[in-house]
Amino acid sequence: MGIHDRDYVREDSTYRAGHPPRGPRRASGGFQQAMRTSPVVFGLLFANIALFILQHLTRKAGIPAAGNSYVAEWLVLIPSRWFEAWRFLGFQFLHGDFSHLLFNMLGVYMFGRHLEALWGPKRFLRFYLLCGVLSGVAQVAFEYLAPGGNINASCLGASGGVSAILAAVAVLFPQIKVIMFPIFIPISIRIVVVIFFVISFFSFGSNDGTAHAAHLGGLIAGLLYTIYLPKFFHTRIQKTHEKNQTRWDEKIAQQAEFQKQVDSVLEKIQNRGISSLSQGDKDLLGEATRRQREEDERIRRL
């Protein structure tokens, strides 16, 4: 994306400094335009749908559960096999049934586009996958540490990444309203996230077949990434700048002191003649000559 494509440069821009980000724009061109403006979102949609179809095509005979397919066997997250690191990515693209897939992909499509428009494709993809991995880590930790945890239970689905998307959107786009069933009135996205957090928190240990620890882990990961990571990098950049400024000030002071010594030797030559120079004075002039030659060579190369 070039500079002339940015909101604050376009002549028809609606950008106003200090206003909350608006998310993806409406644009002509339909589906193809949407794919061009949100390539990662549509890539995630296609990947999840393709893996879901492959799950069912490779389902083991006589076992109806979607988790019992040859594809899921290699990708599903199993706490007791946490050392198989690829599962922390693979489980994010598997789903138990069509409704599981549908609601997760609706979340990616409806809210993920706002983040991709704001952050760009690469950062959004890093955010989604990282938070999904952390949601898997939370589920594995829960199964190991919680009383009655099942370290052989399978975990699959994009819900952890979707939870992180909801958390990030709630922070960055608080103006968004959502209509929830059975309350058919617009509700702030922040209220939706709070409700989701409370449900996930108080559902720990329930045997409803839902990985609530993964949902909660995704929410927390999304909040931490969105709120604290920018502050961390800002503080780090500020410290680096202050450190570099200190080094620069020290360098300028050293150069000023060196020039003061050179001026003193030149004044000595003017008043007493060159024969009055000591060996230290001659070495100082030699160093000054060397530095000047290096500077002239650097300027010549430019």
Side-chain angles (χ1 to χ4, degrees):
M1 181 173 66
I3 188 171
H4 297 290
D5 295 323
R6 299 182 184 272
D7 285 341
Y8 47 80
V9 174
R10 295 175 182 169
E11 293 180 357
D12 60 343
S13 172
T14 57
Y15 176 89
R16 295 293 184 274
H19 284 218
R22 297 176 178 271
R25 291 168 169 262
R26 290 185 177 273
S28 59
F31 183 72
Q32 292 183 348
Q33 177 66 22
M35 289 183 63
R36 284 194 294 269
T37 56
S38 304
V40 171
V41 165
F42 280 91
L44 291 173
L45 295 180
F46 292 146
N48 279 272
I49 292 171
L51 263 294
F52 182 76
I53 294 173
L54 195 58
Q55 274 182 259
H56 287 267
L57 290 178
T58 61
R59 184 184 301 167
K60 295 181 179 180
I63 305 178
N68 291 307
S69 73
Y70 292 103
V71 171
E73 189 176 67
W74 285 97
L75 296 179
V76 72
L77 181 61
I78 303 172
S80 62
R81 301 172 71 173
W82 58 267
F83 49 87
E84 296 176 343
W86 67 85
R87 295 181 182 273
F88 286 94
L89 284 176
F91 89 101
Q92 302 180 49
F93 296 89
L94 303 176
H95 289 85
D97 53 37
F98 179 75
S99 63
H100 190 200
L101 173 72
L102 175 64
F103 286 109
N104 277 339
M105 293 305 99
L106 281 175
V108 171
Y109 177 77
M110 292 173 61
F111 302 109
R113 292 183 304 143
H114 293 277
L115 298 179
E116 186 170 1
L118 177 65
W119 288 342
K122 290 183 180 179
R123 183 179 175 186
F124 170 66
L125 182 60
R126 287 196 301 267
F127 164 81
Y128 177 83
L129 295 178
L130 174 62
C131 291
V133 168
L134 293 176
S135 73
V137 171
Q139 187 63 34
V140 169
F142 171 77
E143 298 295 357
Y144 268 98
L145 300 176
N150 182 3
I151 63 173
N152 293 311
S154 298
C155 178
L156 73 170
S159 302
V162 174
S163 299
I165 288 176
L166 288 174
V169 169
V171 172
L172 299 172
F173 301 91
Q175 74 276 15
I176 290 179
K177 304 291 184 180
V178 179
I179 296 179
M180 294 180 60
F181 178 84
I183 306 173
F184 295 100
I185 57 174
I187 302 175
S188 168
I189 183 66
R190 291 188 171 180
I191 295 178
V192 173
V193 169
V194 170
I195 293 173
F196 189 37
F197 179 90
V198 171
I199 292 174
S200 298
F201 183 80
F202 285 101
S203 297
F204 272 122
S206 61
N207 296 318
D208 57 359
T210 302
H212 293 290
H215 292 174
L216 195 60
L219 281 173
I220 294 174
L223 288 173
L224 292 177
Y225 185 100
T226 309
I227 296 175
Y228 293 105
L229 197 62
K231 293 181 180 180
F232 169 77
F233 281 113
H234 175 74
T235 302
R236 186 174 180 181
I237 291 172
Q238 187 175 13
K239 288 182 178 179
T240 301
H241 173 73
E242 292 174 354
K243 187 176 181 180
N244 291 338
Q245 185 64 42
T246 300
R247 289 178 177 175
W248 177 254
D249 292 341
E250 291 175 353
K251 184 177 180 180
I252 294 298
Q254 291 172 359
Q255 290 178 344
E257 180 62 25
F258 180 78
Q259 187 61 46
K260 183 178 179 181
Q261 294 174 4
V262 171
D263 292 341
S264 177
V265 172
L266 294 176
E267 185 178 355
K268 186 176 181 181
I269 294 174
Q270 184 178 6
N271 294 333
R272 303 180 189 176
I274 195 169
S275 59
S276 63
L277 297 182
S278 66
Q279 185 59 43
D281 294 336
K282 294 177 182 179
D283 292 341
L284 185 66
L285 290 178
E287 176 64 17
T289 302
R290 185 189 65 80
R291 293 188 184 186
Q292 187 60 50
R293 286 175 179 172
E294 289 181 352
E295 181 65 16
D296 293 342
E297 180 63 20
R298 186 186 68 83
I299 294 174
R300 187 186 64 80
R301 287 197 300 267
L302 293 176

